[in-house]
Amino acid sequence: MQLTDAQRLDWLRLIRTEGVGPRSFRALINRFGGAAAALEALPALARRQGRPAVLFTQAQAEDEVAALDRIGGRLIAAGEVDYPRLLHRTDAAPPLLALRGAPILNRPAVAVVGSRNASTAGLAFAERLTRGLGESGLTIVSGLARGIDVRAHRASLSTGTVAVMAGGQDRIYPASHAALVDAILGEGGAVLAEMPMGWEPRGRDFPRRNRIISGLSYGTIVVEAARRSGSLITARFALDQNREVFAVPGSPLDPRAEGTNDLIRQGATLVSDVSHVLDVLGPIIEGGPEAEAAPARGGPDLAEQPDFWDEIDLDAYLPNSAPPHAPRGRPDTATDEIGFDPPEPADDRARIIALLGPCPVGTDELARCAGVGARVVQSVLLELELDGRIERHGSGTVSLVSR
Amino acid sequence: MQLTDAQRLDWLRLIRTEGVGPRSFRALINRFGGAAAALEALPALARRQGRPAVLFTQAQAEDEVAALDRIGGRLIAAGEVDYPRLLHRTDAAPPLLALRGAPILNRPAVAVVGSRNASTAGLAFAERLTRGLGESGLTIVSGLARGIDVRAHRASLSTGTVAVMAGGQDRIYPASHAALVDAILGEGGAVLAEMPMGWEPRGRDFPRRNRIISGLSYGTIVVEAARRSGSLITARFALDQNREVFAVPGSPLDPRAEGTNDLIRQGATLVSDVSHVLDVLGPIIEGGPEAEAAPARGGPDLAEQPDFWDEIDLDAYLPNSAPPHAPRGRPDTATDEIGFDPPEPADDRARIIALLGPCPVGTDELARCAGVGARVVQSVLLELELDGRIERHGSGTVSLVSR
């Protein structure tokens, strides 16, 4: 599959429209047969929801594409040849990814992530491990963060490295890593972003980004991680995506090893040598993405179906987390990826569905009771409506359709 | 069961006789109905083997008992009330144990072992862990070695600690730990030895001793261990004895964690908190030694059978390692427990059986081909003969009986 430029702009307009995330994007295309038709239908849908339709305009989309082009980037769409197939098979894969650098996203990859305040030993082992994995032919995926991430990128510059950013392509975080991004691009690596140009990464963008890191990879290796750290979120996404999870052990007295030791107790493969990763991933990679990295829920092989959007069983997908333009009602409590509870993508949706019944309730009331922002409620309701699970009533009220 | 003083002396004479180990001890008692009868039969057996009968005399036995008594020790026999039931259920349990201190060997116990040259972190964690386990009601078993062992004993002085020595009761190794032994005895702990009074521990005595440490315990915790270290031998015995194995993780860059990380990869439970041990052992201990700590091979519950020696299926037992008075033909390559290959108790016996056939071979030839000492060959041949598996021919030759 290859989108035309016009289709690509329609996709961009649709995914950038308020209240539309990867999951409702799919729902809309399923319902209306394409992005253009969905964009036409959205104003009416919004009116039924009692809110103004704020579409991402053609001009805005063209501006974003041009701005991305100026820094050497381009958009790749789910299902296109350069779009990573492993990621495509995950729940809530981004319909569009902004790519700078080489299209190396379909090479066998493994994620190496860990603490920003890593120990010297942790950094040294990350480097040794990453180098060995790179020399064995694996591309290394990480998040461009301080500590383990940077060490992993640097150690795999010559063998292939992919950095996934939480903000827009022009919003490198931390800014001091701009030179590393240049080095990655100069050495044939790739830099990816889901968020629009100009998007400054906020707290919630990091866990959201982490699903892409794990989704690109046959396995995720956590080198050092405190409890409740961002790396554990990546590991959890990897598990949800039916990918392998590896963890490097450490002393029980080192808080930076608490998270990895916990992972090992929970079944992650203990890694103290490159071979421990290769022994597990070798056979899986040999089988290829189709053979072994199937979605945990056994969904269809979307990439092989030209009309795949229409074939999707929506129930096979986890609900997406908050879409780009829908900041959550709950405040961001941290400024980067450390310190978050692992996001529960199904949370908002499940909470909202639980609050719905046969008796109509107002969407404002719903947002308040669910403890989420009005825009998240709108996004979830849009999905549910497209899925035929709710009915709209007067004065912005909705009720659950009894099945 | 309780032996008379006379029976105890017979047992001691039999187990201290050259060429008799725990396994041939059982075979002899099975064959002849008791230690006294076996002692009577041994000279004839030895003559058939073409070697002089060198029995441990009544006077020697009385001397050993008296010497042990002088330092406050006594012999407890397999099956007696003070003899540890968990140990009794293991292969090649010592028929007699020299005990100093309190008879606390049937309290629920866990072994804590590890490197002699442990790291500060390893020592600190060993102490924290041991203290927590002791306060939870577990007796701590260890080997009185430098490093982790000593820390484990010290941290469990007040809650119950058992030291198992590789030499005789009067041969504390290292000698500098004599004060610790006094402290253990003063605080209501126990000190055990399988070897005779006056026995200086040699290299091979340490792994041999380790089967007792693991055999006394519901589980063995390895805190720090290099590859090929004595603690791993204890862990392996624990596995063979169908007991739990726990290991404390460490950095892949720390050689002292290589052994424990390997153990975790092989399935040992990762321990970074006291609860990780209690969660596993709690239910097992609740079931009691009879319920859960059955021999891996499902042998009979010997302790419950007054005539248990006669009921033993010899094939259910691993062959014993070299008996006390039979130094191996292979040189001891180290002076204490670090640096050994884990002993393969079945090795010598299997190698000797493999070398035997229907055609008579000389026992000297056998020893040379098997690469073991003549006394080991004699001990194994004695077992095989008592088991009816070999025939003696002229000039010290033997052949396998075809079944």
Side-chain angles (χ1 to χ4, degrees):
Chain A
M1 187 197 86
Q2 196 69 15
L3 297 186
T4 63
D5 286 351
Q7 282 174 321
R8 196 178 312 271
L9 285 171
D10 287 342
W11 276 42
L12 185 59
R13 289 186 63 197
L14 188 56
I15 189 61
R16 294 283 185 254
T17 288
E18 281 189 24
V20 177
R23 194 168 183 282
S24 45
F25 182 93
R26 283 173 161 81
L28 283 162
I29 289 199
N30 276 356
R31 172 72 161 249
F32 298 104
L39 287 166
E40 271 177 45
L42 271 175
L45 267 177
R47 270 195 301 278
R48 275 165 55 200
Q49 293 170 23
R51 61 187 176 97
V54 187
L55 291 180
F56 198 71
T57 66
Q58 181 78 12
Q60 284 175 304
E62 285 168 359
D63 283 352
E64 180 172 337
V65 168
L68 184 58
D69 180 68
R70 276 194 296 277
I71 61 167
R74 63 189 172 96
L75 292 170
I76 52 178
E80 289 188 326
V81 63
D82 288 338
Y83 191 95
R85 284 188 294 279
L86 276 187
L87 177 63
H88 193 184
R89 302 173 68 85
T90 64
D91 298 319
L96 290 170
L97 278 173
L99 164 68
R100 281 201 289 166
I104 59 170
L105 309 174
N106 280 308
R107 296 188 188 166
V110 64
V112 177
V113 298
S115 291
R116 290 171 309 139
N117 63 336
S119 69
T120 313
L123 291 169
F125 186 71
E127 176 163 343
R128 181 202 287 186
L129 185 69
T130 303
R131 202 173 295 282
L133 293 169
E135 285 164 0
S136 303
L138 285 170
T139 296
I140 304 300
V141 180
S142 197
L144 209 65
R146 294 189 186 90
I148 300 292
D149 285 22
V150 163
R151 193 62 72 105
H153 286 306
R154 288 225 170 92
S156 57
L157 275 178
S158 62
T159 53
T161 200
V162 175
V164 187
M165 306 209 304
Q169 277 282 6
D170 56 347
R171 290 296 184 271
I172 294 164
Y173 180 89
S176 56
H177 290 172
L180 176 58
V181 166
D182 289 343
I184 291 172
L185 298 174
E187 295 268 2
V191 176
L192 288 181
E194 175 185 20
M195 304 306 267
M197 289 289 287
W199 184 271
E200 292 286 355
R202 305 155 309 157
R204 295 210 72 90
D205 295 325
F206 292 92
R208 176 185 171 84
R209 178 276 314 269
N210 291 358
R211 83 191 198 285
I212 303 177
I213 292 177
S214 59
L216 287 164
S217 310
Y218 280 94
T220 290
I221 306 168
V222 184
V223 177
E224 275 188 341
R227 291 214 171 95
R228 297 173 55 78
S229 73
S231 305
L232 299 184
I233 299 177
T234 314
R236 176 157 163 186
F237 276 123
L239 275 181
D240 287 347
Q241 293 162 348
N242 206 23
R243 306 294 164 80
E244 297 296 323
V245 177
F246 303 87
V248 177
S251 163
L253 298 180
D254 185 350
R256 288 170 293 210
E258 284 180 350
T260 53
N261 287 344
D262 283 351
L263 282 176
I264 293 165
R265 281 183 53 80
Q266 289 156 18
T269 300
L270 185 154
V271 174
S272 56
D273 188 83
V274 175
S275 65
H276 300 159
V277 180
L278 299 178
D279 287 351
V280 172
L281 292 189
I284 298 175
I285 291 170
E286 231 166 79
E290 282 71 23
E292 297 285 350
R297 296 165 190 228
D301 181 358
L302 307 182
E304 302 308 306
Q305 306 179 19
D307 53 346
F308 60 93
W309 293 118
D310 296 327
E311 297 295 322
I312 290 174
D313 170 15
L314 272 186
D315 287 335
Y317 284 85
L318 283 175
N320 57 297
S321 51
H325 288 281
R328 302 245 168 160
R330 285 165 291 180
D332 287 334
T333 51
T335 56
D336 62 12
E337 72 259 54
I338 302 300
F340 278 99
D341 287 323
E344 181 64 69
D347 250 16
D348 292 343
R349 189 173 188 254
R351 209 180 294 121
I352 288 166
I353 290 174
L355 289 167
L356 286 169
C359 184
V361 292
T363 52
D364 293 351
E365 184 70 11
L366 212 47
R368 206 163 33 244
C369 292
V372 298
R375 289 179 177 180
V376 175
V377 170
Q378 292 299 353
S379 178
V380 171
L381 290 180
L382 174 57
E383 292 160 30
L384 293 174
E385 185 179 7
L386 293 168
D387 211 23
R389 297 194 56 187
I390 60 163
E391 262 183 299
R392 303 266 177 193
H393 305 277
S395 323
T397 60
V398 292
S399 70
L400 208 57
V401 172
S402 48
R403 291 203 166 183
Chain B
M1 188 196 86
Q2 195 72 15
L3 297 186
T4 64
D5 287 350
Q7 283 174 321
R8 198 179 311 272
L9 284 171
D10 287 340
W11 276 43
L12 185 59
R13 289 185 63 196
L14 188 56
I15 189 63
R16 295 281 186 253
T17 289
E18 281 189 23
V20 177
R23 197 169 181 281
S24 43
F25 182 93
R26 282 174 163 78
L28 284 161
I29 288 199
N30 276 356
R31 171 72 160 252
F32 299 105
L39 288 165
E40 271 176 45
L42 270 175
L45 265 177
R47 271 194 300 279
R48 275 165 56 200
Q49 292 170 25
R51 61 185 176 95
V54 188
L55 291 181
F56 197 72
T57 67
Q58 181 78 12
Q60 284 175 305
E62 284 168 359
D63 284 353
E64 179 172 337
V65 169
L68 184 59
D69 181 67
R70 277 194 296 277
I71 61 167
R74 62 188 173 101
L75 292 170
I76 51 177
E80 288 188 326
V81 63
D82 287 339
Y83 191 95
R85 283 189 295 278
L86 276 187
L87 177 63
H88 193 186
R89 303 173 67 86
T90 63
D91 299 319
L96 289 170
L97 279 173
L99 164 69
R100 281 200 289 164
I104 59 170
L105 308 173
N106 280 308
R107 295 191 190 162
V110 63
V112 177
V113 297
S115 293
R116 289 171 310 136
N117 62 336
S119 69
T120 312
L123 291 171
F125 186 71
E127 176 163 344
R128 181 202 289 186
L129 184 67
T130 303
R131 202 172 296 282
L133 293 169
E135 285 164 1
S136 302
L138 286 169
T139 296
I140 305 299
V141 180
S142 196
L144 209 65
R146 294 190 186 89
I148 300 294
D149 285 21
V150 163
R151 193 61 72 105
H153 286 305
R154 289 226 170 91
S156 57
L157 275 179
S158 62
T159 53
T161 199
V162 176
V164 187
M165 307 210 303
Q169 277 282 7
D170 56 347
R171 289 296 185 270
I172 293 164
Y173 180 89
S176 57
H177 291 174
L180 176 58
V181 167
D182 288 343
I184 291 172
L185 297 175
E187 295 268 2
V191 177
L192 288 181
E194 175 186 19
M195 305 306 268
M197 288 291 285
W199 184 270
E200 292 286 353
R202 306 154 310 157
R204 294 210 73 91
D205 295 325
F206 292 92
R208 177 185 171 84
R209 178 273 318 264
N210 291 356
R211 83 190 197 285
I212 302 176
I213 292 178
S214 59
L216 287 165
S217 311
Y218 280 94
T220 290
I221 306 168
V222 185
V223 177
E224 274 188 342
R227 290 213 172 97
R228 297 171 55 76
S229 73
S231 306
L232 299 184
I233 299 177
T234 314
R236 178 157 159 186
F237 277 122
L239 275 182
D240 287 347
Q241 293 162 347
N242 205 24
R243 306 294 164 79
E244 297 297 323
V245 177
F246 303 87
V248 177
S251 163
L253 298 180
D254 185 350
R256 290 171 290 211
E258 283 179 351
T260 52
N261 287 342
D262 284 352
L263 281 177
I264 293 165
R265 281 182 53 78
Q266 289 156 20
T269 299
L270 185 153
V271 175
S272 56
D273 189 82
V274 175
S275 65
H276 299 158
V277 179
L278 299 177
D279 288 350
V280 172
L281 292 189
I284 298 175
I285 292 170
E286 230 165 82
E290 282 71 23
E292 297 285 350
R297 295 166 191 227
D301 181 358
L302 309 182
E304 303 308 306
Q305 306 180 18
D307 53 347
F308 60 94
W309 293 119
D310 295 325
E311 298 296 323
I312 290 174
D313 170 15
L314 272 186
D315 288 335
Y317 284 86
L318 283 174
N320 59 299
S321 51
H325 288 282
R328 302 247 169 161
R330 285 165 290 180
D332 286 335
T333 52
T335 55
D336 64 12
E337 69 260 55
I338 303 301
F340 279 99
D341 287 325
E344 181 64 68
D347 249 16
D348 293 343
R349 186 171 191 255
R351 209 180 292 121
I352 288 166
I353 291 174
L355 289 167
L356 286 169
C359 186
V361 291
T363 51
D364 293 351
E365 182 72 10
L366 212 48
R368 208 163 33 245
C369 291
V372 299
R375 289 180 177 180
V376 175
V377 169
Q378 292 299 353
S379 177
V380 170
L381 290 180
L382 174 57
E383 292 161 29
L384 293 174
E385 187 180 5
L386 293 167
D387 212 21
R389 297 193 57 185
I390 59 163
E391 262 182 299
R392 303 267 178 192
H393 306 277
S395 323
T397 60
V398 292
S399 70
L400 209 58
V401 173
S402 49
R403 292 202 167 182

